[in-house]
Amino acid sequence: METKNNLQTPKEEKNAASPAGQKALKIFLPMAILGVAILAALYIGSTAPKAQRTPPPLREAPLVETIVAKYSANRVVIAAMGGVIPSREITLKPQVTGKVIYVNPQFTEGGHLNRGDELLRIDDQDYRLALAEQQSALASAEYELKLEMGHQDVAKREWELINNIDGTQEAVDDELALRKPHLEKAKADLAAAQAAVKQAELDLWRTSIRTPFSCIVKTKNVDLGSHISVQEELAQLLGTDEYRVRASVPVNRLKWISIPRKEEKKSSAVKILYGNGTIYERKGQVIKLLSDLEEEGRMARVMISVSDPLDLNSPKINQPPLLIGEYVRLEIEGPEITNTLCLPRSALREGENVWIARNDGTLDIRKVKIIWRDESSVLITEGVSEGENIITTDLSTPVQGMKLATLENIGAKKGQQN
């Protein structure tokens, strides 16, 4: 019985050995796969193309543009802004009363009149009658004076006969006897009559209201048939022979502007630029400096004269007139300064420095002396020699002595190679 139990069939032996085989398979199979992967990686690494190491490229010198320094005489120009105002502006008022019987056709808003043109006329009939009355009174006063002169001769002879010319009479009696007070009154009456005639003539002349200067009518407050009284506002008139521009300039710019004074008649010329889109130009002259500063900007104010702003005396083709209230740009001419170098404002670096391209192709950062600067240019008197190359190109990191490439240097190298 025991012998039978110890004996096993082949199938049972195979089932007993399978767990050990499975364990061995789990260990050796991954190792085989890993080995194959390593061999494949080594093969790929040995056969792949290798990158060649190259040294980094040398940094090229930046290419810059330059201008050649050339000293000459340059004029200072002060830029400013200003507003156009009338040189003359009056409110016209009559000096006599009456009915308006004539109005000039040009007496309308915007109308132009020359100096001495009759603007309107007041009915003068009453003033002619008043003049006739005063002339009659003058004739009577002249008659009375002549009559009194005759009385003077008679009184003198009578006084001499009565008193035998002994010179003992009192002065008062002498004056009365010789009718001296009568003579003085006659002369005074004549003077008053003459003054009354002149006043009547003046009132008659004032019935014709004329323009005191060439003007344009700004406002009109009266018309034909109106009854006007003394000091009533008839119109506002603006002079047309000249306009003025009131300009604001920095106080430190005044030393460059020639302003006429009693002992000095010279004044700075001014270029006046105006217009929207198309820019037009006119000429003017600085005539005075105002005594106060601007309240807001604390800037000085100068007055500029512009002749014939409406082109009435010399019409201009395709150029509009200058208008009151227009805002204009000004270029005031200052003195001409000799032996100066004019550079664009963009060539100035970090305040008062410029960049010089030396002949050996290196950068020189140099400080210069500036006598004038504005928004677009600067005038230099010292720091740059005649003929040196001034760099106008911007450099990101300028360093003293750094290498540069200019168009001139590149052209010279190509010529040497050829």
Side-chain angles (χ1 to χ4, degrees):
M1 293 291 295
E2 293 178 356
T3 301
K4 186 179 180 179
N5 291 336
N6 290 333
L7 294 177
Q8 296 181 350
T9 64
K11 184 177 180 179
E12 291 176 349
E13 290 179 357
K14 185 178 179 179
N15 291 338
S18 64
Q22 291 178 357
K23 185 176 181 181
L25 184 62
K26 290 180 180 180
I27 294 173
F28 289 107
L29 183 62
M31 293 179 65
I33 295 173
L34 181 60
V36 173
I38 293 173
L39 292 174
L42 292 174
Y43 175 76
I44 293 173
S46 62
T47 59
K50 296 182 178 180
Q52 299 294 328
R53 290 189 177 183
T54 57
L58 296 176
R59 184 177 181 182
E60 294 183 357
L63 179 63
V64 295
E65 295 181 355
T66 61
I67 55 176
V68 179
K70 185 177 181 181
Y71 283 82
S72 62
N74 293 281
R75 185 175 296 279
V76 171
V77 178
I78 301 96
M81 303 294 290
V84 181
I85 60 174
S87 61
R88 293 181 177 181
E89 182 175 6
I90 64 168
T91 299
L92 190 65
K93 298 179 180 180
Q95 294 178 288
V96 294
T97 62
K99 181 180 178 181
V100 177
I101 59 173
Y102 168 78
V103 174
N104 192 310
Q106 287 295 321
F107 182 36
T108 182
E109 292 187 1
H112 298 92
L113 297 110
N114 296 322
R115 179 180 179 181
D117 286 350
E118 187 175 32
L119 199 64
L120 56 86
R121 190 184 313 135
I122 299 173
D123 187 1
D124 61 358
Q125 185 174 358
D126 292 340
Y127 297 97
R128 290 185 181 276
L129 294 175
L131 176 59
E133 290 179 0
Q134 297 302 329
Q135 289 173 338
S136 176
L138 175 60
S140 297
E142 291 174 345
Y143 169 77
E144 292 295 335
L145 179 60
K146 292 179 180 179
L147 188 61
E148 182 58 36
M149 295 298 293
H151 292 326
Q152 291 286 311
D153 293 338
V154 174
K156 183 177 181 181
R157 288 195 298 270
E158 289 178 351
W159 183 251
E160 291 174 351
L161 292 173
I162 294 173
N163 297 282
N164 296 319
I165 320 176
D166 56 5
T168 59
Q169 297 81 7
E170 295 183 0
V172 176
D173 295 338
D174 184 54
E175 288 185 358
L176 291 173
L178 295 177
R179 297 177 61 89
K180 290 182 179 181
H182 299 76
L183 179 60
E184 292 175 358
K185 181 179 183 303
K187 289 181 178 180
D189 290 343
L190 177 61
Q194 290 173 338
V197 169
K198 290 182 179 180
Q199 182 63 53
E201 290 175 343
L202 185 60
D203 289 341
L204 179 61
W205 178 80
R206 286 171 173 170
T207 59
S208 177
I209 300 177
R210 299 180 179 274
T211 55
F213 46 78
S214 297
C215 62
I216 184 172
V217 180
K218 182 179 179 181
T219 60
K220 173 186 174 184
N221 302 323
V222 67
D223 213 330
L224 187 66
S226 301
H227 189 279
I228 58 177
S229 58
V230 177
Q231 299 303 313
E232 180 181 345
E233 293 186 4
L234 303 180
Q236 283 186 309
L237 306 180
L238 307 178
T240 56
D241 292 334
E242 175 192 19
Y243 280 176
R244 292 182 179 177
V245 179
R246 187 162 49 203
S248 301
V249 297
V251 176
N252 60 359
R253 302 290 201 196
L254 291 178
K255 63 181 179 179
W256 301 103
I257 303 175
S258 296
I259 302 171
R261 294 180 175 85
K262 291 183 179 179
E263 67 279 3
E264 181 185 1
K265 299 298 182 181
K266 185 180 179 182
S267 64
S268 294
V270 183
K271 185 186 295 184
I272 301 165
L273 305 172
Y274 66 102
N276 294 324
T278 303
I279 301 300
Y280 301 95
E281 178 182 328
R282 288 183 182 270
K283 300 295 183 181
Q285 294 287 134
V286 175
I287 58 173
K288 65 176 66 175
L289 170 67
L290 300 184
S291 60
D292 56 337
L293 296 178
E294 244 181 4
E295 291 186 1
E296 295 183 359
R298 310 304 295 170
M299 300 178 73
R301 296 184 298 168
V302 296
M303 199 71 75
I304 297 162
S305 172
V306 186
S307 299
D308 194 20
L310 302 180
D311 302 323
L312 300 178
N313 299 326
S314 56
K316 297 181 180 179
I317 301 175
N318 298 327
Q319 180 166 343
L322 202 60
L323 301 178
I324 298 295
E326 193 164 3
Y327 204 55
V328 297
R329 185 162 56 90
L330 307 169
E331 294 181 359
I332 306 173
E333 290 187 2
E336 190 175 62
I337 306 175
T338 59
N339 198 28
T340 54
L341 173 61
C342 182
L343 295 179
R345 188 67 180 263
S346 58
L348 197 63
R349 315 289 179 174
E350 297 178 356
E352 299 182 351
N353 293 332
V354 295
W355 296 341
I356 306 294
R358 293 174 177 156
N359 294 332
D360 61 358
T362 59
L363 172 65
D364 183 17
I365 301 176
R366 194 179 303 172
K367 188 173 184 179
V368 295
K369 183 178 180 181
I370 300 172
I371 192 173
W372 168 263
R373 71 176 75 195
D374 57 26
E375 293 181 356
S376 60
S377 62
V378 294
L379 296 182
I380 295 173
T381 57
E382 297 177 9
V384 180
S385 299
E386 182 84 12
E388 287 191 303
N389 295 315
I390 302 171
I391 299 172
T392 57
T393 306
D394 289 332
L395 298 173
S396 58
T397 55
V399 178
Q400 180 73 19
M402 67 182 290
K403 288 291 184 179
L404 299 173
T406 64
L407 296 176
E408 293 80 3
N409 293 340
I410 293 174
K413 290 181 179 179
K414 287 184 178 180
Q416 293 175 0
Q417 292 175 358
N418 294 334

